[in-house]
Amino acid sequence: MSRRRKFHFYLAVVTFCTGFLVATSIETTKLTRKERFNDQQFQQETQLNDRILSEKEQNQHLENQLLDLQRQVGKVEEAMAERKSEAADTLSQLEAARMLAGVVAVEGPGIVITMQDNQNAANNADIANYIVHEQDVRLVVNELRAAGAEAISINGQRLVSNSSIRCVGPTIIVNGIKSAAPFVVTAIGDPNTMESALNLPGGVLHSLQDFVQIDVAKKDHVQLPAFVGDAKTKHS
């Protein structure tokens, strides 16, 4: 083999080896980069998973706190509802007591009884039997109370616990106020119950109807004024 051929041969071998080394180096570099990329991606995925787990734990903690707060709010709401109910009961009892005491005006269904002297009273020898007396009005009032009347007035005068009904001549005095016939007794309560009580056989109306004139009217709505005066003072 001539020198020239040897030279070309060696040159080819060197070129081939160089090319091989270059190609190997490129592939190694690519592989290294790929491995580094895979490592970075793995690290990123690991960090992301850690963050997700941390967020889940925090969310769970917040959910537990929310549940605790909801339970606390529920207890507070229950306590407030109970206090509100107690306050409503107390207010209802207070209103009922004020109504019974007569210190507030009231309205509602009721009954109106109008009592007048007998039109023929002047023609009778014993006129006193045919005019309305305080005991007649008192009988009606007592019957209404027994029938569940919640509030009663006589000629606009509200009856309270210490009210009295007195007769002075042809007039009646209630709460220190004098008034003449007709005497209008107004009561709040169940109209049917009160009317039935007044009309019982042998009752108030039956015992008075032959002597004085009495008219009874059931009402869907009546108004009674508040008591005016000192409720502690005995009206005699």
Side-chain angles (χ1 to χ4, degrees):
M1 182 182 294
S2 64
R3 292 182 178 179
R4 188 173 183 178
R5 288 184 176 178
K6 288 182 179 181
F7 174 76
H8 287 166
F9 173 77
Y10 291 135
L11 180 61
V13 172
V14 171
T15 300
F16 173 78
C17 291
T18 301
F20 176 77
L21 291 174
V22 170
T24 303
S25 177
I26 291 173
E27 291 298 325
T28 302
T29 301
K30 288 182 180 181
L31 183 60
T32 302
R33 289 179 179 176
K34 185 175 181 180
E35 291 177 352
R36 289 179 180 176
F37 176 77
N38 291 337
D39 289 341
Q40 291 177 354
Q41 186 177 13
F42 176 76
Q43 291 177 358
Q44 290 177 351
E45 291 178 353
T46 301
Q47 292 175 356
L48 182 59
N49 289 333
D50 291 340
R51 288 183 59 183
I52 292 174
L53 291 175
S54 177
E55 292 292 337
K56 285 183 177 180
E57 291 178 357
Q58 187 175 3
N59 288 340
Q60 185 63 46
H61 179 67
L62 292 175
E63 287 179 1
N64 293 335
Q65 286 184 329
L66 178 60
L67 290 175
D68 290 338
L69 290 174
Q70 287 177 338
R71 282 191 289 266
Q72 293 176 17
V73 170
K75 291 180 180 179
V76 172
E77 289 177 342
E78 289 177 1
M80 290 179 64
E82 185 175 348
R83 291 179 182 177
K84 186 176 180 180
S85 177
E86 291 176 355
D89 290 341
T90 301
L91 181 60
S92 178
Q93 294 174 7
L94 177 60
E95 289 297 326
R98 293 176 67 188
M99 184 178 69
L100 292 176
V103 297
V104 292
V106 291
E107 58 184 47
I111 195 169
V112 177
I113 301 100
T114 304
M115 306 178 68
Q116 303 185 69
D117 297 338
N118 193 304
Q119 293 179 351
N120 299 317
N123 300 325
N124 288 277
D126 192 357
I127 297 178
N129 287 334
Y130 298 94
I131 62 175
V132 180
H133 295 280
E134 86 282 359
Q135 63 265 28
D136 302 329
V137 178
R138 192 179 296 115
L139 284 173
V140 171
V141 169
N142 290 339
E143 192 64 49
L144 291 173
R145 284 174 172 164
E150 299 171 0
I152 303 174
S153 69
I154 301 174
N155 283 9
Q157 287 298 314
R158 181 75 171 273
L159 298 185
V160 293
S161 59
N162 61 348
S163 292
S164 65
I165 305 171
R166 292 193 302 117
C167 181
V168 178
T171 63
I172 287 179
I173 298 177
V174 181
N175 297 338
I177 304 299
K178 185 184 295 186
S179 62
F183 302 108
V184 180
V185 181
T186 306
I188 288 180
D190 187 303
N192 296 322
T193 300
M194 291 188 290
E195 182 188 44
S196 297
L198 291 172
N199 284 300
L200 285 173
V204 175
L205 296 189
H206 286 182
S207 64
L208 295 177
Q209 64 184 2
D210 292 334
F211 300 97
V212 297
Q213 182 178 343
I214 302 179
D215 295 317
V216 179
K218 295 187 294 183
K219 300 289 184 179
D220 293 330
H221 184 266
V222 295
Q223 292 179 312
L224 272 65
F227 169 76
V228 178
D230 186 359
K232 296 180 181 179
T233 302
K234 176 70 176 179
H235 297 282
S236 58

